Amino acid sequence: MFAGMGPEFLADPYPAYERLRALDPVLWVPGIFGIGAWVVTEHATCNAVLRDKRFGKQANKVLPPEAIALIPQEAAAIVERRKHSMLFRDPPDHTRLRGLVNQAFTPRTVERLRPHIAEIAGQLVDALEGKLRAGAGSVDLIRELAFPLPIIVIAELLGVPPEDRDRFKQWSTVLTQGLNPGAGADVFKRVGAAARELDDYLAVVIDARRREPRADLISELVRVHEGTDRLSIDELTATCRLILTAGHETTVNLIGNGTLALLRNEAQRDLLAGDPSLLQGAVEEMLRFDSPVQMTSRFAYEDCHIGGKDVPRGAMMLLLLGAANRDPGVFPEPQRFDVRRENAHANIAFGAGIHYCLGAPLARVEGEVAFAALLSRLPRLALAGGAPPLEWRENVVLRGLRALPVTG
């Protein structure tokens, strides 16, 4: 269903979502992922499944090995690495792992970081402005702002050198390709290689923090591992890998997709530039309008009735978050970008329930300070004229631009 989706779908998946919703907002699609899945496009059912304890992330709890082998994302080598990550665990393991790092990402903790994040964003926008003023023609906003801002912040939090950010980008780009429903054996081979390289890199950093702790998150995780043995070395590495990759991927897409929405809707951009008090709500609208994470999945751990359907134990639920965030039953005129939308905060771009995105508070603050800096410093920012058509990353799960050429 999503394998081999072309540039048209990648550029704008929302018409396809609407067609699916018109067929049935909770639609059984046989053969998808090799085992069939319920494809959910309505907000209420997506939200309900994400919050329902009868659904979880671990296919091995309800499916036999031969069925699991049919699911592309469940390649054996990938499963082996993922089983140590909180992203693919259920309680009580998920609860334990998340609890060890949750304090670093609470809204209160993140809010204390806002001045420093704003300083970094200001420096990046200064550099972007300098290139534009120097007659550089168009400048890639993804490379100059959307990518470096979150990777610098998350690298500082973890305690890894931000100068290695290009290496992080390469690893992260490959690792996230493994989430793609259309991923094949060649992709999983690259994913495995990237995961090993990143783990080897993290092992060196972890060893250094074991010998000489610092005031960073890796040092704290090492302390927990050695002090109480509540965190195995595999879990420690997997947690660092998850924070480093997931900690910036969604924010890159939030800033890139959000900027594109502003530049394509000049009236909304001018409205936001003239009233900074709208900024927080505008970020929620950006998350709703063009969600950085487009889909996720769960497995039914028991027979249940949900979304008007009888869902048997073992069934996969494919939750199209991007479609849910444009559900007309929740968001009037969902295809319209409106920075004053009153219920934009009802979006589920970061998920819901126990797997609600750990880094959501950080992503929101990074988005707010990035857009504040852009709007104040570059009021004439525009899409570069004459540039080639925008290219989107070949990933139907994480929606983001390869590049965003702008002028100012």
Side-chain angles (χ1 to χ4, degrees):
M1 179 180 178
F2 295 101
M5 286 294 185
E8 184 178 351
F9 177 83
L10 294 173
D12 186 5
Y14 301 105
Y17 295 163
E18 286 303 307
R19 291 192 292 271
L20 286 170
R21 195 196 324 274
L23 289 172
D24 194 329
V26 185
L27 177 68
W28 174 253
V29 180
I32 187 172
F33 303 118
I35 62 171
W38 291 96
V39 178
V40 184
T41 51
E42 70 177 5
H43 186 282
T45 302
C46 281
N47 195 31
V49 170
L50 290 170
R51 297 175 183 276
D52 196 321
K53 294 180 180 179
R54 296 175 298 175
F55 296 88
K57 302 278 281 189
Q58 296 178 238
N60 63 320
K61 286 188 174 182
V62 288
L63 295 179
E66 58 270 22
I68 294 175
L70 296 173
I71 307 173
Q73 299 97 320
E74 303 299 324
I78 304 301
V79 170
E80 183 62 25
R81 287 186 177 275
R82 285 178 176 172
K83 73 180 184 180
H84 302 294
S85 170
M86 72 179 81
L87 188 62
F88 299 96
R89 303 280 281 277
D90 294 320
D93 291 324
H94 171 270
T95 307
R96 174 177 59 87
L97 292 170
R98 187 174 176 117
L100 295 175
V101 296
N102 187 62
Q103 190 58 37
F105 297 97
T106 64
R108 178 176 296 180
T109 301
V110 169
E111 196 59 38
R112 290 199 293 267
L113 297 174
R114 183 185 289 267
H116 181 53
I117 297 172
E119 181 182 5
I120 297 171
Q123 293 170 352
L124 292 170
V125 172
D126 284 347
L128 173 62
E129 182 183 27
K131 291 185 177 182
L132 291 171
R133 298 293 176 263
S138 66
V139 176
D140 179 9
L141 186 131
I142 302 297
R143 170 165 286 278
E144 301 298 329
L145 176 63
F147 169 69
L149 175 61
I151 197 64
I152 289 172
V153 172
I154 204 66
E156 287 186 356
L157 279 175
L158 273 170
V160 297
E163 58 265 25
D164 287 339
R165 64 192 187 203
D166 285 337
R167 299 172 69 188
F168 302 151
K169 180 180 182 181
Q170 293 170 3
W171 287 323
S172 181
T173 298
V174 175
L175 289 172
T176 56
Q177 289 173 353
L179 298 172
N180 225 350
D186 57 332
V187 171
F188 288 121
K189 184 177 180 180
R190 293 197 298 272
V191 170
R196 288 190 295 273
E197 291 176 12
L198 178 53
D199 286 358
D200 289 344
Y201 175 93
L202 290 170
V204 174
V205 178
I206 290 169
D207 185 60
R209 294 302 179 274
R210 182 178 288 112
R211 289 182 281 105
E212 188 177 339
R214 298 182 185 178
D216 56 42
L217 187 52
I218 289 182
S219 296
E220 178 61 21
L221 292 174
V222 168
R223 184 192 65 78
V224 170
H225 162 66
E226 295 187 334
T228 66
D229 200 30
R230 291 194 303 152
L231 193 64
S232 73
I233 188 62
D234 288 330
E235 290 171 337
L236 171 57
T237 305
T239 300
C240 293
R241 187 196 318 132
L242 173 64
I243 293 172
L244 190 57
T245 54
H248 78 275
E249 283 285 348
T250 52
T251 309
V252 173
N253 295 344
L254 165 59
I255 296 173
N257 299 359
T259 300
L260 179 61
L262 287 175
L263 299 184
R264 284 177 168 174
N265 296 270
E266 293 186 11
Q268 294 297 308
R269 181 190 63 183
D270 293 344
L271 185 65
L272 185 57
D275 187 357
S277 70
L278 297 174
L279 193 55
Q280 190 175 71
V283 168
E284 296 302 318
E285 175 68 350
M286 293 169 190
L287 290 166
R288 181 204 70 83
F289 182 74
D290 206 1
S291 305
V293 180
Q294 288 282 300
M295 61 185 74
T296 188
S297 62
R298 296 290 188 274
F299 292 90
Y301 286 170
E302 59 183 78
D303 295 343
C304 54
H305 185 82
I306 198 163
K309 300 294 191 296
D310 290 319
V311 176
R313 181 177 185 271
M316 176 188 281
M317 308 293 290
L318 182 62
L319 312 175
L320 301 187
L321 306 181
N325 286 333
R326 292 201 182 192
D327 186 341
V330 178
F331 306 102
E333 297 182 74
Q335 315 304 335
R336 179 171 56 86
F337 179 67
D338 182 2
V339 299
R340 290 186 295 189
R341 186 179 294 274
E342 292 184 357
N343 72 336
H345 63 277
N347 75 79
I348 50 173
F350 288 122
I354 64 169
H355 285 284
Y356 181 77
C357 178
L358 182 71
L362 181 60
R364 286 186 165 102
V365 168
E366 289 171 338
E368 289 171 20
V369 300
F371 292 117
L374 279 175
L375 291 168
S376 63
R377 295 296 301 274
L378 295 169
R380 294 189 298 276
L381 194 70
L383 291 173
L390 295 174
E391 290 188 28
W392 295 81
R393 294 168 60 183
E394 294 179 3
N395 193 320
V396 299
V397 176
L398 300 178
R399 176 167 169 76
L401 290 156
R402 292 184 182 274
L404 182 57
V406 296
T407 59

